[in-house]
Amino acid sequence: MRLLVKTFLAAGLLVSAASASHAVPLLEPTLRLKPHEDSGTPRVALTLDACGGRTDERILSALVENRIPATIFVTGTWLKRNAAALEIMRAHPDLFELENHGGHHIPAVDTPRKIYGISSAGSPDAVLAEVEEGADALAKAGEPAPKWFRGATAQYSPSAIALIRKLGFKIAGYSINGDGGSLLSARETARRVAAAKDGDVIIAHINQPTHAAGEGLVKGLLELKAKGVHFVRLDDADGVGTNDTTD
């Protein structure tokens, strides 16, 4: 597959000059669920990034206890440090779908720059390595092959999107930023999450157990559940993303 992508690169279908690419605005794709037949039941997809660090047990316990499904985007780094949380997720395959968040939580941008203070992959080969190492980490952990990829910071260069799609992954955007990178207050996080409507895809984080946002996420999710919202994983619903991220 890497050979195929390199052939794609050599064909000149990607932006090749680093100086020109650096000037290209980054994309932060949106993802929404397609309308479904049962229009009386709102559906929302909860996606949680596990970037590194540890696991927020407040969130994980609430999802299990309240039977709320979620798509978890895990890095290779997180997988190495969170065996206990991984076992809980494995024990509830009806709730948790694990997908690719990269090998080392490096933004999928193929020119050198910083996004939110994080250095980008910086080259096409480095983007490929980040995506493939994330998939390999899931395979080594005994998980099914991932179908979705979400890069660190959820921002991409257009040419990196083309690369990732050539590898066969859909790219997971979102429509609601639930916790602002886990930096929002509990109150603001709860407000944002509870405001989700039919078709929304929420992004939040499950790897910051000391942040107040985790408390707010749980509160917002329980409010949605009380309203009759049906939670779905990305593999259980058709999602349509902007910027050629899913088609």
Side-chain angles (χ1 to χ4, degrees), residues 209-233:
T210 65
H211 290 196
E215 175 188 343
L217 176 62
V218 171
K219 182 178 180 181
L221 292 173
L222 295 182
E223 287 186 34
L224 287 176
K225 184 178 181 182
K227 295 176 185 177
V229 167
H230 178 61
F231 292 96
V232 298
R233 304 176 302 183

Side-chain angles (χ1 to χ4, degrees), residues 150-190:
R150 174 180 287 154
T153 76
Q155 295 192 26
Y156 311 82
S157 51
S159 46
I161 287 177
L163 272 175
I164 297 163
R165 296 290 288 129
K166 278 289 180 179
L167 287 175
F169 290 97
K170 295 181 180 180
I171 297 174
Y174 59 91
S175 61
I176 291 182
N177 186 338
D179 65 359
S182 86
L183 298 177
L184 295 178
S185 67
R187 181 177 181 179
E188 177 60 14
T189 300

